[in-house]
């Protein structure tokens, strides 16, 4: 038996070493591909020069561009002449040319950024910037449709641009291989006309909105989680701070960020690919509408400005009927910290770090709620209870939601979703004596509620956070019988379980 265990441990070590070597090879491949592209840049520059230099030609677009964009140019909202500014003077131009001259930055090359970038490139937007410091993972591929299996380990911006160039070679694609930071955001944003927020955390959303407002950029913001999504066009039109005619910003809609412990990421809450894809496509659509909108000529010129759409929040729910509904948003707040006359957030406070977005939104990392004696590692648990998948002489409670429990679970474990635990109340029932324990909620199974059992209770979740909350709740209900019955959690959850006990445990 010892020889078999030694062999298994050796094989696991070899697998880990091979995986590390594979990651290194992928990074080397990505660097080689980047070097190859840099050598090919002169040809790309020549193509762009031919594309942009249309002086002396009868028609402003290349023949291939007329063929490529013809189906959208015959749509009246795109193909008709539109008003714009040229060298500070009003002029007439086709809106397709407005698309070609536009510079759009997408912050995030994930589930939202991929479909948005695809349709902006397909529509002929002239310059598309992508900023993202992450690399492609296999867990991204079900929804981040620009990336391919062969590009796992590669920077997302490089993977996305590779696909976009195959789709349309005419635009200029600019990669920013970094996570957006306050000190760099203004410098990057100032080179673009429009911004798309394709991120998934509150701190970055406030940073993007603040920077866009202060630089006079219209922002298209979207989000998606599980089966629902939201979409807003902010700072439209982009008027200076204090001008009530300007569109509201992200702080106007959400003056206070959500509690840090309530923010759920796609990794924790899940996401359906078509849901985030729908929101990304709608982002591209709204960006195209903003870019091709008629320039609001002043009434003094003899033509009144066109009616401006009221700002609204579009809510999408895949399993609702109807799937879409719209909520009208209020105009700019008179006390907004960014776009009001008394704004306190400036480019200087952003770049200097005086505006602390992490502090404003709170820390996303949860503190340990339990003491060391209340926690046990998967390896320690297996040593104490080696008899079966969920141990003998103990009770294992899995507090993941039913969908996750259905993917993989330990034999003999009991599923009590954390949502059920949080939804119950620990208040004593009416008429109950104060020295009596609280009435047990219905979600507690008999083997857990058994007041005669001394079997320890272990709680496990995916990452080791929800399990701590559940342990505290079980103790509040008196199930530990004043410490005579052990109740603790599996430290690190099933992620640690996979690393320490079962390397075949599904990683999702």
């Amino acid at each position: 038996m010892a020889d078999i265990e030694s062999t298994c441990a050796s094989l696991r070590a070899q697998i880990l070493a091979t995986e590390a070597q594979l990651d290194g090879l992928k990074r080397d491949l990505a660097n080689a591909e980047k070097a190859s592209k840099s050598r090919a840049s002169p040809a790309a520059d020549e193509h762009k020069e031919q594309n942009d230099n249309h002086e002396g030609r009868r028609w402003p677009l290349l023949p291939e561009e007329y063929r490529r964009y013809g189906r959208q140019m015959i749509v009246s909202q795109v193909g008709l002449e539109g008003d714009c500014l040229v060298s500070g003077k009003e002029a007439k131009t086709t809106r397709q040319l407005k698309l070609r001259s536009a510079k759009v930055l997408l912050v995030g090359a994930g589930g939202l950024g991929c479909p948005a970038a695809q349709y902006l490139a397909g529509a002929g937007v002239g310059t598309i910037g992508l900023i993202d410091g992450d690399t492609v993972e296999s867990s991204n591929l079900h929804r981040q449709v620009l990336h391919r299996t062969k590009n796992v380990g590669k920077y997302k911006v490089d993977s996305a641009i590779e696909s976009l160039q195959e789709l349309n070679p005419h635009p200029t694609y600019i990669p920013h291989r970094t996570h957006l930071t306050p000190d760099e955001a203004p410098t990057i944003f100032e080179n673009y006309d429009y911004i798309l927020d394709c991120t998934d955390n509150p701190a970055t959303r406030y940073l993007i909105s603040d920077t866009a407002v202060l630089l006079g950029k219209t922002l298209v913001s979207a989000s998606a989680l599980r089966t629902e999504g939201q979409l807003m066009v902010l700072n439209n039109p982009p008027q200076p701070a204090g001008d009530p005619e300007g569109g509201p910003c992200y702080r106007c809609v959400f003056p206070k960020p959500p509690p840090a412990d309530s923010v759920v990421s796609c990794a924790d809450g899940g996401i359906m690919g078509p849901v985030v894809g729908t929101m990304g496509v709608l982002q591209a659509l709204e960006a195209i509408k903003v870019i091709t909108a008629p320039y609001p000529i002043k009434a003094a010129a003899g033509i009144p400005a066109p009616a401006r759409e009221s700002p609204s929040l579009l809510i999408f729910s895949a399993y609702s009927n109807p799937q879409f509904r719209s909520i009208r948003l209020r105009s700019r707040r008179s006390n907004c910290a960014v776009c009001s006359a008394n704004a306190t957030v400036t480019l200087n406070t952003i770049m200097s770090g005086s505006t602390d977005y992490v502090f404003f939104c709170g820390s996303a990392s949860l503190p340990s709620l339990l003491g060391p004696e209340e926690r046990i590692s998967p390896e320690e648990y297996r040593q104490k209870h080696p008899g079966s998948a969920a141990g003998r002489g103990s009770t294992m409670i899995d507090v993941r939601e039913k969908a996750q429990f259905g993917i993989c679970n330990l034999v003999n474990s009991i599923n009590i979703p954390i949502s059920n635990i949080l939804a119950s109340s620990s208040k004593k029932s009416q008429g109950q004596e104060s020295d009596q324990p609280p009435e047990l909620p219905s979600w507690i199974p008999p083997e857990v509620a058994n007041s005669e059992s001394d079997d320890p209770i272990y709680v496990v979740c995916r990452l080791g956070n929800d399990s701590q909350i559940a342990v505290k709740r079980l103790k509040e209900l008196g199930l530990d019988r004043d410490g005579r019955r052990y109740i603790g959690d599996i430290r690190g959850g099933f992620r640690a379980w996979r690393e320490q006990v079962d390397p075949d445990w599904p990683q999702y």
Side-chain angles (χ1 to χ4, degrees):
M1 180 63 70
D3 291 340
I4 295 176
E5 292 179 353
S6 176
T7 301
C8 292
S10 176
L11 290 172
R12 293 192 190 104
Q14 291 181 48
I15 290 172
L16 291 174
T18 304
E19 289 177 343
Q21 183 181 12
L22 179 60
D23 290 339
L25 290 173
K26 288 177 179 177
R27 287 192 296 270
D28 292 342
L29 175 61
N31 292 333
E33 289 176 338
K34 282 189 287 185
S36 176
K37 285 182 181 180
S38 64
R39 293 191 190 100
S41 59
D45 293 340
E46 182 180 355
H47 172 79
K48 176 160 177 41
E49 183 179 354
Q50 293 175 354
N51 188 43
D52 290 342
N53 184 16
H54 57 80
E55 294 182 6
R57 293 206 309 263
R58 182 179 180 184
W59 308 110
L61 297 177
L62 296 172
E64 197 277 330
E65 290 181 294
Y66 282 103
R67 291 190 295 270
R68 179 181 290 267
Y69 309 127
R71 296 298 185 272
Q72 75 181 23
M73 290 177 66
I74 61 178
V75 176
S76 60
Q77 286 86 347
V78 178
L80 291 177
E81 285 187 340
D83 302 299
C84 71
L85 285 182
V86 177
S87 300
K89 298 181 180 179
E90 294 161 3
K92 295 285 185 178
T93 183
T94 64
R95 293 173 186 166
Q96 185 64 50
L97 287 177
K98 294 178 73 174
L99 286 172
R100 193 172 75 167
S101 63
K103 298 178 180 179
V104 179
L105 175 67
L106 293 88
V107 185
L112 293 167
C114 283
Q118 275 186 307
Y119 278 95
L120 291 176
V125 170
T127 301
I128 298 176
L130 292 166
I131 177 169
D132 199 314
D134 290 337
T135 57
V136 180
E137 300 177 1
S138 58
S139 61
N140 304 146
L141 300 178
H142 87 282
R143 66 193 184 280
Q144 300 180 15
V145 292
L146 279 177
H147 308 309
R148 299 293 179 263
T149 302
K150 67 177 182 177
N151 286 341
V152 170
K154 193 174 186 177
Y155 274 112
K156 285 186 178 181
V157 292
D158 294 330
S159 172
I161 289 175
E162 178 183 310
S163 296
L164 294 173
Q165 287 173 330
E166 293 179 359
L167 173 65
N168 189 352
H170 293 287
T172 298
Y173 302 105
I174 303 175
H176 301 275
R177 304 176 187 90
T178 181
H179 295 290
L180 189 67
T181 59
D183 58 323
E184 294 180 340
T187 304
I188 295 175
F189 281 27
E190 66 182 1
N191 296 317
Y192 295 90
D193 306 315
Y194 308 93
I195 312 297
L196 268 64
D197 181 353
C198 306
T199 63
D200 61 358
N201 72 85
T204 306
R205 290 188 178 280
Y206 282 101
L207 167 61
I208 292 171
S209 175
D210 293 352
T211 307
V213 169
L214 294 172
L215 290 175
K217 317 287 185 181
T218 294
L219 170 65
V220 184
S221 177
S223 62
L225 182 67
R226 299 189 180 100
T227 63
E228 299 180 345
Q230 296 182 353
L231 175 75
M232 298 180 290
V233 180
L234 302 170
N235 197 37
N236 184 39
Q239 299 296 343
D243 190 335
E245 294 301 316
C249 70
Y250 195 79
R251 287 183 187 263
C252 294
V253 182
F254 302 109
K256 295 182 179 180
D261 57 2
S262 70
V263 177
V264 180
S265 67
C266 292
D268 293 330
I271 182 68
M272 289 186 66
V275 172
V276 70
T278 297
M279 304 316 298
V281 170
L282 288 173
Q283 274 188 287
L285 176 60
E286 291 301 321
I288 291 172
K289 287 168 58 179
V290 171
I291 295 169
T292 59
Y295 180 77
I297 300 175
K298 297 179 181 179
I303 304 176
R308 179 164 58 91
E309 292 185 8
S310 299
S312 63
L313 170 66
L314 181 68
I315 299 176
F316 171 73
S317 182
Y319 286 87
S320 297
N321 187 17
Q323 293 179 319
F324 290 94
R325 60 192 179 97
S326 182
I327 299 176
R328 186 173 180 176
L329 298 177
R330 59 179 294 173
S331 57
R332 286 184 169 182
R333 289 180 177 267
S334 58
N335 61 345
C336 179
V338 179
C339 63
S340 70
N342 300 315
T344 57
V345 177
T346 66
L347 290 178
N348 286 335
T349 66
I350 292 177
M351 298 182 72
S352 67
S354 299
T355 302
D356 191 331
Y357 292 95
V358 175
F359 177 79
F360 176 66
C361 295
S363 174
S365 59
L366 295 175
S368 179
L369 303 177
L370 305 177
E373 71 283 355
E374 298 175 287
R375 314 199 72 188
I376 186 172
S377 71
E379 185 177 2
E380 293 169 334
Y381 171 83
R382 173 56 69 211
Q383 291 175 357
K384 286 187 175 184
H385 305 281
S388 66
R392 287 177 182 170
S394 66
T395 300
M396 175 69 78
I397 298 177
D398 186 334
V399 295
R400 293 176 300 160
E401 297 298 324
K402 289 183 178 180
Q404 295 189 47
F405 186 80
I407 294 173
C408 52
N409 57 77
L410 296 175
V411 177
N412 300 329
S413 62
I414 302 170
N415 182 218
I416 306 177
I418 187 65
S419 57
N420 292 354
I421 297 175
L422 295 176
S424 65
S425 172
S426 61
K427 295 180 180 179
K428 299 184 188 317
S429 58
Q430 201 168 25
Q432 187 178 0
E433 296 294 333
S434 60
D435 58 345
Q436 292 181 345
E439 182 179 345
L440 297 181
S442 59
W443 51 262
I444 296 183
E447 54 266 52
V448 177
N450 186 357
S451 61
E452 302 300 324
S453 174
D454 289 327
D455 289 346
I457 298 174
Y458 298 95
V459 184
V460 67
C461 65
R462 187 181 179 196
L463 301 175
N465 295 324
D466 290 341
S467 58
Q468 297 185 66
I469 298 173
V471 167
K472 290 183 68 67
R473 183 74 180 91
L474 292 173
K475 288 189 173 184
E476 289 172 358
L477 293 169
L479 294 174
D480 64 337
R481 301 205 304 277
D482 295 325
R484 295 190 300 274
R485 186 182 193 184
Y486 178 84
I487 301 179
D489 88 312
I490 304 297
R491 187 171 59 246
F494 281 118
R495 176 177 292 178
W497 184 276
R498 183 177 188 273
E499 295 172 353
Q500 300 178 24
V501 176
D502 184 3
D504 293 329
W505 186 265
Q507 183 178 7
Y508 60 91

